[in-house]
Amino acid sequence: MISAKIQKALNEQINKELYSAYLYLSMAAYFQDTGLEGFSRWMRLQADEEREHALKIFDYVFDRGGTVKLAAIEAPAARWSSPLAVFKEVFKHETFVTKSINTLVDLAVGERDHATSSFLKWFVDEQVEEEASAGTIVNRLEMAEKAPGAMLMLDRALGARGDK
Ligand code: FEO
């Protein structure tokens, strides 16, 4: 059984993951509007991943005899000034999520809730990947700003996400 405090924190994390899905879906819509369909596809798959993250926590809370209470999801922004601005926001948002996961781990360790600490390890590792992939795309977009045509090549590359 999880403590009320851990249950509350996990419920809050579900909300953050669902907000991430909502934010990335809004970014997918922005890219769709601007004709960058590869970026849009990448973002849509990212939104799907975030929903999976929320569901992973959802299932864990029930596995531990707790319950889930969903809260309102904040409306995300709908417009950005450029693809680079979008990915800078993704990177910033992922560092925020990383901090939130780390705080959760601290809480679990503090309560000597080893099962929750172990469960959260997957999220700690996932955040390393999430920050790295957003950071790489920020770097590529910074380079693309100086090279005409590079944006479309990048759009094609990101649009291949999920193939194979
Ligand atoms: Fe679920 Fe991108 O953190």
Side-chain angles (χ1 to χ4, degrees):
M1 187 85 184
I2 39 174
S3 72
K5 212 168 159 187
I6 298 254
Q7 175 173 289
K8 183 170 176 283
L10 288 171
N11 270 281
E12 284 166 1
Q13 191 63 35
I14 289 174
N15 187 268
K16 285 173 193 157
E17 302 293 346
L18 291 175
Y19 172 76
S20 304
Y22 220 32
L23 175 65
Y24 297 156
L25 196 56
S26 185
M27 289 169 169
Y30 161 78
F31 282 127
Q32 200 71 29
D33 275 342
T34 53
L36 289 166
E37 290 185 3
F39 279 93
S40 182
R41 177 183 152 100
W42 190 97
M43 230 17 122
R44 201 173 164 135
L45 290 174
Q46 191 63 27
D48 288 347
E49 275 196 7
E50 297 300 352
R51 189 173 166 276
E52 289 298 319
H53 296 172
L55 291 178
K56 232 183 220 302
I57 304 170
F58 181 104
D59 290 338
Y60 176 75
V61 170
F62 282 107
D63 283 349
R64 294 291 312 282
T67 194
V68 167
K69 190 165 176 254
L70 297 176
I73 304 168
E74 196 190 319
R79 288 286 167 265
W80 288 267
S81 58
S82 66
L84 178 58
V86 173
F87 275 92
K88 278 186 170 170
E89 185 170 338
V90 172
F91 184 78
K92 197 170 149 219
H93 181 67
E94 288 301 332
T95 58
F96 161 77
V97 174
T98 299
K99 267 192 208 130
S100 177
I101 296 288
N102 289 344
T103 304
L104 254 171
V105 174
D106 289 345
L107 189 65
V109 169
E111 289 203 6
R112 303 176 60 80
D113 181 345
H114 301 300
T116 299
S117 298
S118 169
F119 166 73
L120 289 169
K121 195 187 168 301
W122 183 89
F123 284 86
V124 171
D125 296 342
E126 175 72 6
Q127 283 313 117
V128 173
E129 233 178 79
E130 298 270 67
E131 285 189 29
S133 71
T136 301
I137 298 171
V138 166
N139 290 341
R140 288 192 189 157
L141 282 168
E142 278 169 348
M143 284 190 272
E145 282 203 327
K146 293 168 208 132
M151 189 66 84
L152 291 178
M153 273 171 62
L154 199 49
D155 185 52
R156 214 173 309 138
L158 293 186
R161 178 176 180 175
D163 291 350
K164 284 191 279 194

